[in-house]
């Protein structure tokens, strides 16, 4: 009898300990596999596969509570392995939702296990932003008592390619139209899972520029418009007023030229879209000279400083430099304001707690260049929901900067963002950048110029000039080159020329163009244009040979490029007439010379005639010169 009462008391003590679901690590062991199955609609069905194992023979669990922080859970259910329903109740407390599962039976004995499932639905884990599905799964708390914890993320294959995912999954597989990623407990303690799916993102942009010529004479100036890179393709729908021309500098910036009259002020509006790609696409590689310039020391990238050189000696790879910068520096939100002083790499090291994106970028570039790795700064727009930055951006154009390093293995500039890795608590923005970074200007040879859109303001006017939002590509987005040609007749017996202009009216840039020139349908020459930016013009001069009786002179010259063609007549008949006239003059002179040598005629009549003609011409000139 005493023995039965003792056992009952132990069970009662166990019940009182765990009726509120206080599951101590020393008393129970918890294993869990959480599967986040995203539906095509974006709704996510979350299933926790949980196993409770008793660590004592006299204690058992009567309930279990699953706490969800900042998560809305609907249609909550709990089932046994055999499919039996378990009693579930939910209670909200501050920002947490506590799901309590009550067990109807007792599982008693050391090592005994209780296996059950808890499921709920959520509509905020997966969100479609523009052309991309973005997925965010919360992190696992550091104090979690799980012995084993695995997360499976199941995503429909028709969401598109994996654009980015952090942290890197332990494994991945595809089955029945679903792509499944597996993550372990260790990778989920510091951060949750962030992933994006889709081939590209699309932003619509409106950029305003304000120019003024304070001089009393005509002046020229250039503005930077967003360029193409290996990770983005720019569409220019309109730019008003249109520039005189557009050129591409050594760093790849697109610079639009404007001529301003004395004291003139103009406002320029640029409208368009941009595609941001998940991976680098084929893109023209920089020259060795450009890469060398991206190794030089500058006022903000002090790669020759002893402290920077010492770091470069130990941090030899871009990944090591990235990890150091993203953990060494701390983001100072109080410095986020227009016209903030730029500290540079050395000062960033000395004041690591006062960094903003410029210091993260400058320090990465300085160390990379000191390590012999070409690096440069990107200044542009990065979409964020961060409330510390958004309010200021509503009235002023506070842009973002991030570095790129040159990868000889991938033959491309690779963008990384140590700032966002730091501010997000460790989300990986090194292996794959997200699809929210829109390049405005590239600073490689110069750390300041050209100025980014949003910087072309007049006076202290704080108006916002940069507007970027998620968008869609227009159906008609192809460019067709406009060809024009001017025929220049040559001097008698010398060849003529043809001035050719190939203009890109937009909306996109041309790459690897091969303008071909045909003489009467036969290919004569072929040129190569590596890049032709929107609104830019390529010029060349073609020599059209002179030939006797026009045997080698074409009747028409055709210029063909990218499906466009123009044909220009060359006045071959004039060449033939000129040849005949020349031949007539030659034989006339020859006969006259023979007759003179044979004394059949004299030159005096001809000389007298020439003298008369000359005197008449001289008299005519003298008369026309009188008032």
């Amino acid at each position: 009898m005493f023995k039965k009462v003792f056992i009952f008391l132990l069970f009662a003590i166990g019940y009182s300990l765990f009726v509120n679901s206080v599951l101590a690590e020393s008393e129970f062991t918890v294993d869990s596999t959480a599967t986040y199955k995203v539906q095509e609609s974006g709704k996510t069905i979350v299933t926790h596969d949980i196993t409770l194992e008793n660590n004592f023979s006299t204690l058992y669990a009567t309930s279990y509570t699953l706490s969800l922080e900042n998560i809305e859970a609907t249609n909550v259910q709990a089932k046994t392995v055999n499919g039996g329903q378990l009693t579930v109740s939910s209670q909200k407390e501050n920002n947490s939702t506590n799901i309590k599962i009550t067990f109807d039976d007792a599982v008693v004995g050391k090592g005994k296990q209780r296996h059950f499932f808890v499921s709920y639905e959520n509509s905020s884990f997966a969100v479609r932003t523009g052309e991309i599905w973005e997925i965010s799964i919360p992190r696992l708390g550091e104090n979690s008592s799980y012995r084993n914890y695995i997360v499976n993320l199941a995503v429909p294959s028709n969401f598109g390619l994996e654009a980015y995912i952090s942290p890197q999954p332990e494994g991945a597989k595809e089955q029945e139209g679903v792509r499944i990623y597996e993550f372990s407990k260790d990778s989920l303690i510091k951060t949750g899972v962030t992933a994006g799916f889709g081939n590209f993102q699309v932003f619509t942009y409106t950029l305003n520029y304000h120019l003024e010529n304070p001089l009393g004479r005509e002046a020229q100036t250039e503005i930077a418009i967003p360029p193409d890179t290996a990770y983005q393709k720019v569409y220019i729908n309109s730019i008003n007023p249109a520039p005189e021309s557009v050129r591409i500098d050594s760093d790849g910036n697109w610079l639009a030229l404007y001529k301003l009259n004395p004291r003139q002020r103009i406002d320029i509006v640029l409208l368009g879209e941009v595609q941001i790609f998940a991976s680098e696409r084929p893109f023209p590689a920089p020259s060795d000279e450009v890469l060398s310039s991206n190794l030089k020391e500058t006022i903000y990238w002090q790669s020759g400083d002893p402290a920077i050189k010492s770091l470069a000696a130990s941090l030899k790879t871009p990944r090591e430099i990235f990890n150091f910068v993203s953990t060494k520096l701390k983001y100072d939100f109080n410095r986020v304001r227009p016209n903030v002083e730029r500290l540079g790499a050395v000062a960033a090291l000395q004041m690591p707690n006062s960094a903003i994106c410029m210091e993260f970028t400058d320090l990465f570039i300085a160390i990379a260049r000191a390590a012999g790795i070409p690096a440069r700064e990107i200044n542009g727009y990065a979409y964020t929901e961060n409330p510390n930055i958004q309010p200021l951006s509503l009235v002023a154009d506070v842009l973002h900067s991030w570095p790129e390093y040159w990868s000889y293995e991938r033959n491309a500039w690779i963008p990384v963002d140590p700032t966002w890795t730091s501010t997000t608590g460790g989300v990986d923005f090194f292996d794959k950048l997200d699809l929210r970074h829109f390049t405005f200007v590239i600073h490689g040879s110069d750390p300041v110029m050209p100025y980014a859109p949003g910087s072309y303001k007049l006076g202290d006017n704080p108006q916002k000039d940069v507007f970027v939002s998620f968008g869609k590509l227009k159906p008609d987005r192809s460019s067709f080159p406009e060809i024009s040609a001017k025929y220049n007749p040559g001097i008698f017996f010398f060849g003529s020329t043809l001035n050719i202009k190939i203009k890109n009216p937009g909306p996109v840039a041309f790459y690897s163009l091969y303008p071909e020139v045909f003489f009467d349908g036969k290919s004569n020459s072929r040129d190569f244009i590596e890049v032709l930016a929107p609104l830019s013009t390529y010029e060349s001069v073609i020599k059209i040979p002179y030939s006797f009786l026009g045997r080698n002179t074409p009747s028409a010259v055709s210029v063909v490029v990218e499906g466009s063609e123009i044909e220009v007549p060359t006045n071959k008949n004039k060449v033939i007439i000129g040849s005949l006239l020349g031949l007539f003059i030659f034989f006339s002179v020859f006969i006259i010379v023979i007759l003179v040598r044979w004394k059949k005629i004299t030159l005096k009549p001809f000389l007298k005639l020439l003298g008369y003609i000359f005197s008449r011409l001289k008299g005519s000139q003298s008369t026309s010169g009188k008032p």
Side-chain angles (χ1 to χ4, degrees), residues 476-491:
D476 184 14
R477 54 181 185 273
S478 299
S479 288
F480 298 95
E482 296 177 351
I483 310 172
S484 60
K486 181 181 179 182
Y487 179 73
N488 302 306
I491 302 175

Side-chain angles (χ1 to χ4, degrees), residues 212-529:
E212 183 177 21
N213 177 16
L215 304 177
R217 53 182 173 80
E218 184 183 86
Q220 295 184 356
T221 188
E222 290 180 320
I223 64 171
I225 60 179
D228 280 358
T229 71
Y231 283 84
Q232 77 179 31
K233 184 174 183 179
V234 173
Y235 299 82
I236 296 178
N237 294 333
S238 66
I239 180 168
N240 188 28
E244 298 286 331
S245 62
V246 174
R247 70 179 180 93
I248 302 177
D249 70 8
S250 60
D251 286 328
N253 292 296
W254 292 0
L255 302 176
L257 175 67
Y258 282 87
K259 293 181 180 179
L260 278 69
N261 295 323
R263 316 297 180 186
Q264 183 183 12
R265 172 176 175 170
I266 60 173
D267 296 316
I268 303 164
V269 181
L270 172 63
L271 304 176
E273 292 91 33
V274 60
Q275 268 180 297
I276 311 294
F277 296 95
S279 301
E280 66 266 23
R281 61 196 180 103
F283 198 74
S287 64
D288 292 338
E289 181 180 0
V290 170
L291 290 178
S292 296
S293 70
N294 283 262
L295 289 170
K296 295 179 179 179
E297 182 175 15
T298 72
I299 185 175
Y300 297 115
W301 307 325
Q302 304 99 324
S303 54
D305 181 84
I308 300 294
K309 292 173 68 176
S310 177
L311 287 170
S314 57
L315 307 172
K316 298 181 180 180
T317 67
R319 164 59 88 175
E320 291 175 340
I321 298 170
F322 181 91
N323 290 343
F324 171 80
V325 173
S326 60
T327 55
K328 174 69 174 177
L329 303 185
K330 305 301 179 185
Y331 197 89
D332 185 359
F333 287 97
N334 294 325
R335 291 188 61 228
V336 181
R337 58 182 182 273
N339 302 318
V340 64
E341 180 186 0
R342 185 173 181 176
L343 302 179
V346 172
L349 271 180
Q350 297 169 349
M351 297 182 290
N353 295 326
S354 298
I356 56 174
C357 59
M358 288 187 297
E359 282 70 49
F360 282 87
T361 300
D362 289 343
L363 185 56
F364 180 95
I365 294 173
I367 298 174
R369 291 190 173 193
I373 303 168
R376 63 187 191 179
E377 179 205 21
I378 302 298
N379 199 259
Y381 182 93
Y383 180 83
T384 177
E385 296 90 355
N386 191 327
N388 291 287
I389 297 178
Q390 278 188 336
L392 187 60
S393 296
L394 293 176
V395 297
D397 299 308
V398 178
L399 303 180
H400 186 50
S401 67
W402 60 94
E404 287 185 341
Y405 70 90
W406 177 255
S407 171
Y408 289 96
E409 293 76 18
R410 295 163 66 174
N411 198 40
W413 287 104
I414 309 301
V416 296
D417 195 340
T419 307
W420 278 22
T421 289
S422 175
T423 56
T424 56
V427 174
D428 185 12
F429 286 98
F430 179 85
D431 288 320
K432 264 194 177 181
L433 205 60
D434 65 6
L435 298 178
R436 298 183 172 206
H437 287 65
F438 177 12
T439 297
F440 280 178
V441 294
I442 303 165
H443 293 153
S445 57
D446 191 304
V448 178
M449 299 295 292
Y451 296 124
S455 304
Y456 299 82
K457 302 181 185 296
L458 298 177
D460 298 326
N461 193 346
Q463 81 273 17
K464 184 172 172 57
D465 291 322
V466 174
F467 301 89
V468 180
S469 60
F470 293 112
K472 289 185 176 295
L473 294 177
K474 295 184 180 298
D476 184 14
R477 54 181 185 273
S478 299
S479 288
F480 298 95
E482 296 177 351
I483 310 172
S484 60
K486 181 181 179 182
Y487 179 73
N488 302 306
I491 302 175
F492 193 58
F493 292 119
F494 293 92
S496 55
T497 59
L498 189 68
N499 290 357
I500 299 173
K501 291 185 178 181
I502 301 172
K503 182 179 180 179
N504 179 4
V508 296
F510 290 121
Y511 292 91
S512 300
L513 290 181
Y514 292 90
E516 195 164 7
V517 177
F518 294 86
F519 285 179
D520 289 336
K522 294 182 179 180
S523 179
N524 176 265
S525 63
R526 194 179 190 216
D527 208 344
F528 173 68
I529 306 173

Side-chain angles (χ1 to χ4, degrees), residues 24-306:
E25 285 188 61
S26 59
E27 296 160 346
F28 292 90
T29 300
V30 185
D31 297 327
S32 180
T33 297
T35 300
Y36 293 75
K37 189 173 183 179
V38 182
Q39 309 297 296
E40 292 187 6
S41 64
K43 181 177 67 176
T44 302
I45 300 174
V46 184
T47 302
H48 290 264
D49 182 347
I50 302 172
T51 300
L52 299 180
E53 183 178 318
N54 298 336
N55 292 336
F56 296 93
S57 59
T58 55
L59 302 178
Y60 68 94
T62 60
S63 66
Y64 177 84
T65 299
L66 179 66
S67 294
L68 308 176
E69 293 186 7
N70 299 308
I71 296 174
E72 290 291 332
T74 60
N75 193 21
V76 181
Q77 299 183 40
K79 295 182 179 181
T80 65
V81 175
N82 298 324
Q85 293 286 341
L86 295 173
T87 303
V88 177
S89 62
S90 297
Q91 182 179 359
K92 289 188 177 182
E93 184 177 344
N94 296 327
N95 294 325
S96 296
T97 299
N98 296 321
I99 301 174
K100 182 179 179 180
I101 301 95
T102 303
F103 308 122
D104 299 329
D105 59 342
V107 176
V108 184
K110 183 178 181 179
K112 293 293 185 178
Q113 295 181 340
R114 180 186 295 278
H115 191 186
F116 62 100
F117 301 92
V118 182
S119 65
Y120 63 90
E121 297 176 1
N122 179 275
S123 299
S124 61
F125 289 146
V127 178
R128 187 180 179 96
T129 54
E131 301 294 323
I132 297 295
W133 278 100
E134 295 187 316
I135 299 172
S136 178
I137 296 175
R139 72 183 182 91
L140 179 64
E142 296 183 6
N143 297 324
S144 299
S145 58
Y146 294 107
R147 175 175 61 184
N148 296 303
Y149 185 77
I150 296 173
V151 165
N152 291 321
L153 172 61
V155 180
S157 299
N158 60 13
F159 271 20
L161 299 176
E162 172 196 320
Y164 58 89
I165 190 164
S166 176
Q168 288 300 304
E170 303 289 330
K173 60 182 178 180
E174 190 162 348
Q175 58 184 32
E176 299 179 354
V178 176
R179 193 178 297 114
I180 302 173
Y181 300 89
E182 181 178 307
F183 302 88
S184 66
K185 175 183 176 181
D186 293 340
S187 63
L188 296 172
I189 291 179
K190 290 185 177 181
T191 65
V193 176
T194 57
F197 295 89
N199 298 327
F200 56 82
Q201 181 62 280
V202 177
F203 288 102
T204 298
Y205 62 86
T206 299
L207 305 177
N208 297 285
Y209 305 77
H210 310 286
L211 304 179
E212 183 177 21
N213 177 16
L215 304 177
R217 53 182 173 80
E218 184 183 86
Q220 295 184 356
T221 188
E222 290 180 320
I223 64 171
I225 60 179
D228 280 358
T229 71
Y231 283 84
Q232 77 179 31
K233 184 174 183 179
V234 173
Y235 299 82
I236 296 178
N237 294 333
S238 66
I239 180 168
N240 188 28
E244 298 286 331
S245 62
V246 174
R247 70 179 180 93
I248 302 177
D249 70 8
S250 60
D251 286 328
N253 292 296
W254 292 0
L255 302 176
L257 175 67
Y258 282 87
K259 293 181 180 179
L260 278 69
N261 295 323
R263 316 297 180 186
Q264 183 183 12
R265 172 176 175 170
I266 60 173
D267 296 316
I268 303 164
V269 181
L270 172 63
L271 304 176
E273 292 91 33
V274 60
Q275 268 180 297
I276 311 294
F277 296 95
S279 301
E280 66 266 23
R281 61 196 180 103
F283 198 74
S287 64
D288 292 338
E289 181 180 0
V290 170
L291 290 178
S292 296
S293 70
N294 283 262
L295 289 170
K296 295 179 179 179
E297 182 175 15
T298 72
I299 185 175
Y300 297 115
W301 307 325
Q302 304 99 324
S303 54
D305 181 84

